[in-house]
Amino acid sequence: DAMVIQNPRYQVTQFGKPVTLSCSQTLNHNVMYWYQQKSSQAPKLLFHYYDKDFNNEADTPDNFQSRRPNTSFCFLDIRSPGLGDAAMYLCATSAYANYGYTFGSGTRLTVV
Amino acid sequence: AQTVTQSQPEMSVQEAETVTLSCTYDTSESDYYLFWYKQPPSRQMILVIRQEAYKQQNATENRFSVNFQKAAKSFSLKISDSQLGDAAMYFCAYRPGNTPLVFGKGTRLSVIA
């Protein structure tokens, strides 16, 4: 089945140690998104790609970077995780045609 | 700024009963899309139902239906014959054109057996 896959499902990292979260999709969707979701809150958009065009939200910390080497893969890099970065990170995809998003299962990041 | 408001942080419903979750949004756009997403505890967010703003007919998906009032900028979700598996966080979301979704803060629905 076509889907959005996030790895790993759970990630524990040390304070200040760089960490990378990955997302892959078999839907061939043009657009990929990264959201941060803290407990019982709405997802907060960090950035998104239209094809290779990168769009950063104004309030996304510089600590967060992203890469999209091809249509299928997208990575979220956190250069120096702080305790406040502990959250669920959601990857989503969409086609241009406004059919909503397909979400991955998320990666829950713990910072110790 | 485009905003989505869900005024009910928590709701509960008896199994087999009907519940309505409210959502209002603020926009100056005439063409947009509205969605309800369900997020069960520790599980994937999934699309429940979508509505195109240009359609007057309310969307329906099995036990889920919406009441879309464009002039009032209201988009409520009705769940009929509630089941235990409906317990989840429900997010209302708005999307004009190809811009990213704007989510409301969510409503946590509990289903009582």
Side-chain angles (χ1 to χ4, degrees):
Chain A
D1 289 340
M3 54 186 7
V4 179
I5 300 169
Q6 290 189 244
N7 286 306
R9 187 72 189 272
Y10 300 93
Q11 175 74 57
V12 180
T13 191
Q14 291 181 333
F15 183 95
K17 184 176 181 181
V19 65
T20 295
L21 310 182
S22 73
C23 177
S24 65
Q25 56 134 337
T26 59
L27 298 158
N28 203 32
H29 282 170
N30 301 86
V31 195
M32 294 187 77
Y33 308 83
W34 280 106
Y35 282 84
Q36 179 192 64
Q37 187 181 25
K38 297 191 175 180
S39 182
S40 299
Q41 295 184 20
K44 177 182 179 299
L45 182 65
L46 296 174
F47 20 61
H48 65 283
Y49 282 90
Y50 281 111
D51 296 315
K52 285 189 172 294
D53 293 333
F54 176 70
N55 297 270
N56 193 33
E57 293 301 296
D59 57 354
T60 298
D62 293 339
N63 199 23
F64 290 80
Q65 306 283 322
S66 184
R67 297 170 282 134
R68 189 180 185 187
N70 53 53
T71 300
S72 301
F73 286 87
C74 196
F75 300 97
L76 170 61
D77 302 309
I78 309 177
R79 291 191 294 185
S80 181
L83 297 179
D85 297 328
M88 175 73 85
Y89 289 87
L90 300 173
C91 175
T93 72
S94 72
Y96 288 128
N98 293 318
Y99 274 74
Y101 293 0
T102 301
F103 282 87
S105 297
T107 293
R108 183 168 297 282
L109 179 68
T110 301
V111 181
V112 298
Chain B
Q2 296 151 352
T3 58
V4 176
T5 302
Q6 295 179 247
S7 59
Q8 307 149 316
E10 295 184 356
M11 294 279 287
S12 62
V13 62
Q14 292 279 352
E15 199 175 3
E17 297 295 311
T18 296
V19 65
T20 299
L21 309 184
S22 65
C23 174
T24 59
Y25 56 96
D26 184 24
T27 184
S28 57
E29 304 286 338
S30 59
D31 187 23
Y32 50 87
Y33 295 77
L34 295 161
F35 306 87
W36 278 98
Y37 281 89
K38 171 185 177 181
Q39 189 178 38
S42 301
R43 294 185 64 186
Q44 189 173 4
M45 190 174 300
I46 59 173
L47 178 65
V48 175
I49 199 165
R50 65 187 285 269
Q51 173 81 43
E52 294 92 336
Y54 63 85
K55 288 187 177 179
Q56 293 186 337
Q57 186 174 5
N58 289 323
T60 300
E61 289 287 342
N62 300 312
R63 298 183 295 108
F64 298 87
S65 61
V66 298
N67 183 6
F68 174 49
Q69 302 289 329
K70 190 172 184 178
K73 297 179 183 176
S74 171
F75 182 62
S76 61
L77 174 69
K78 185 172 82 171
I79 307 174
S80 303
D81 186 26
S82 297
Q83 301 175 0
L84 295 177
D86 295 333
M89 198 76 169
Y90 286 82
F91 291 98
C92 178
Y94 156 86
R95 184 180 190 187
N98 275 322
T99 61
L101 282 174
V102 177
F103 286 93
K105 291 187 176 182
T107 296
R108 184 175 302 280
L109 178 67
S110 301
V111 181
I112 303 165

